[in-house]
Structure formats: structure tokens, C-alpha cells
Amino acid sequence: MNRAALLVLADGRFPAGGHAHSGGAEAAVLAGRVRDVASLREFCRGRLHTSGLVAAGLAAATAAGHDPLLLDEAADARTPAPALRHVARRLGRQLLRAVRAAWPSAELDALAAARPHGAHQSVVLGLAARSAGLSPLDAAYAAAYESVSGPATATVRILSLDPFDATAVLARLAAGIDHVATRADQAARRVPAEGVGALPAASAPLLDITAEQHAARPVRLFAS
């Protein structure tokens, strides 16, 4: 294992394209649901335990060596909003470019050939972790953390929040990230016996709805 690779993969400066996306935070700010530190904390908590949990499960299962194309289909099934499927593949394509440069592997090359327009970000993240010598639990941690760090960073820019307060939000979600990563890893362990149905399929309908609304806006700061 190369645990230090997890720091590189989870670093906000890793060129995976996430800086252009808010994870639904911009739409939540425009709707008045995120307006201060307290509401940002609740938004991130909800995202962590829904879309974050789903992404962590898919990432862990891919890192464990399960078929990434089958898991990419499972990701589609767990992403009902077309706008979010588009975003997930766009981010996945950018992430794949970065990880093929950082940790080249035949598995990454095969996924790029099979999904030239991009695989889901969570699946690419799991395969990246596998190529970097990380464990399925590491992959789950990276996915869970990404699900909240992106919105927190974006909200600092949108609302001009104090970045120290936004960092405190992430720190106070640490126990939740632990819980989500562990649950995702445990679900991935059941895939050989139960199939991809063992993976989390939590839903966040409001994120789906606002993603479609955000995609139709003529002017926006973030792509999603």
C-alpha cells in the first residue's frame, strides 16, 4: 500500500476539475437554503449521507477490483438526474486524464478506451485508488471527503464566508466521513455475494431537481 497517495488524490489542487463545480451549493445559495455557516454545515451533512455515501460505495467497490463497467452502469442507475450524470462523466473524464499521468495502469487505459466520453467520477476515483496502491476503504474516504469539500470551498467564493469557518465545517463532519467511508467499504465487501445491489442507493431528490434547474441557468459561477 502507498497511503501517501491518498493525500495526493484528496488534495484540492489535484487537477481533477472539481474547482469548476460546487456540488449543488451554488443552486442552494440561490434558493436561500445555504446562507451562512450553519446552513452550509447542514447542506454538507445531507450531501455526505446521500450522494456522498453512494459515491463512496461505488469507489470502494471499484478499488476492490470489481468490474468498473458494471459499476459505471450501477452509478447511472443511482443518478436519476441527466444533469448530474453529465457532470459525473465530465468530472470522471478529467480525473481519468490526471490519474493516468500520475499512476499509469492497464486498467485505467482500458476504462478510457471503453468510456471515451468519461466514466462516472466515483468509478474513476476507485480505479485511481487501486492503481495508486490504495485500499477500498481509502477510496471510500476520498469520495466521502470530496462530496463535502467541494461545496464548502465553493460556498466560500459564493457567499464570501470566512474560509476558517468553512474549514471548521469540514472538521466537524469528520465523524460522519468516518461513518460513511466505513459503511461504504462494508457494502463493497458484500458485492461478490450479493451483486451491485449491495451498494448504497441513497437519494437526494432536491439535489436532483436543483441540478436540472442550475444546468438551465444562462448565467452561473459554477458548472454544477
Side-chain angles (χ1 to χ4, degrees):
M1 289 181 62
N2 180 14
R3 184 59 58 82
L6 179 58
L7 302 178
V8 178
L9 194 57
D11 193 326
R13 292 164 294 187
F14 193 71
H19 64 279
H21 298 265
S22 76
E26 183 176 11
V29 169
L30 291 173
R33 286 187 290 273
V34 173
R35 56 196 174 276
D36 52 23
V37 174
S39 53
L40 171 62
R41 182 171 58 249
E42 292 310 305
F43 175 85
C44 288
R45 191 192 312 279
R47 195 169 194 275
L48 172 63
H49 289 279
T50 53
S51 57
L53 175 61
V54 171
L58 290 162
T62 311
H66 301 301
D67 183 356
L69 298 183
L70 179 62
L71 291 167
D72 194 53
E73 294 175 0
D76 253 356
R78 288 161 171 75
T79 314
L84 290 181
R85 288 198 297 271
H86 173 73
V87 166
R89 293 190 180 281
R90 183 175 175 183
L91 285 169
R93 184 171 64 248
Q94 178 66 18
L95 177 59
L96 189 56
R97 289 181 59 197
V99 298
R100 289 176 77 190
W103 302 288
S105 77
E107 289 181 311
L108 290 171
D109 292 342
L111 182 60
R115 293 287 188 271
H117 299 295
H120 275 259
Q121 179 192 28
S122 54
V123 173
V124 177
L125 183 59
L127 201 57
R130 180 175 173 82
S131 298
L134 296 170
S135 71
L137 180 60
D138 290 329
Y141 264 106
Y145 179 71
E146 191 276 336
S147 74
V148 293
S149 62
T153 301
T155 306
V156 169
R157 294 169 60 186
I158 299 167
L159 289 178
S160 298
L161 290 182
D162 188 327
F164 292 104
D165 289 335
T167 300
V169 166
L170 296 177
R172 289 174 183 134
L173 288 173
I177 293 172
D178 284 340
H179 174 76
V180 164
T182 300
R183 184 177 168 191
D185 181 54
Q186 291 171 344
R189 294 173 187 271
R190 299 199 305 272
V191 169
E194 302 175 30
V196 295
L199 297 175
S203 64
L206 192 55
L207 283 179
D208 295 335
I209 293 168
T210 55
E212 293 296 322
Q213 294 171 341
H214 187 76
R217 289 184 183 277
V219 179
R220 57 194 183 206
L221 181 60
F222 291 92
S224 71

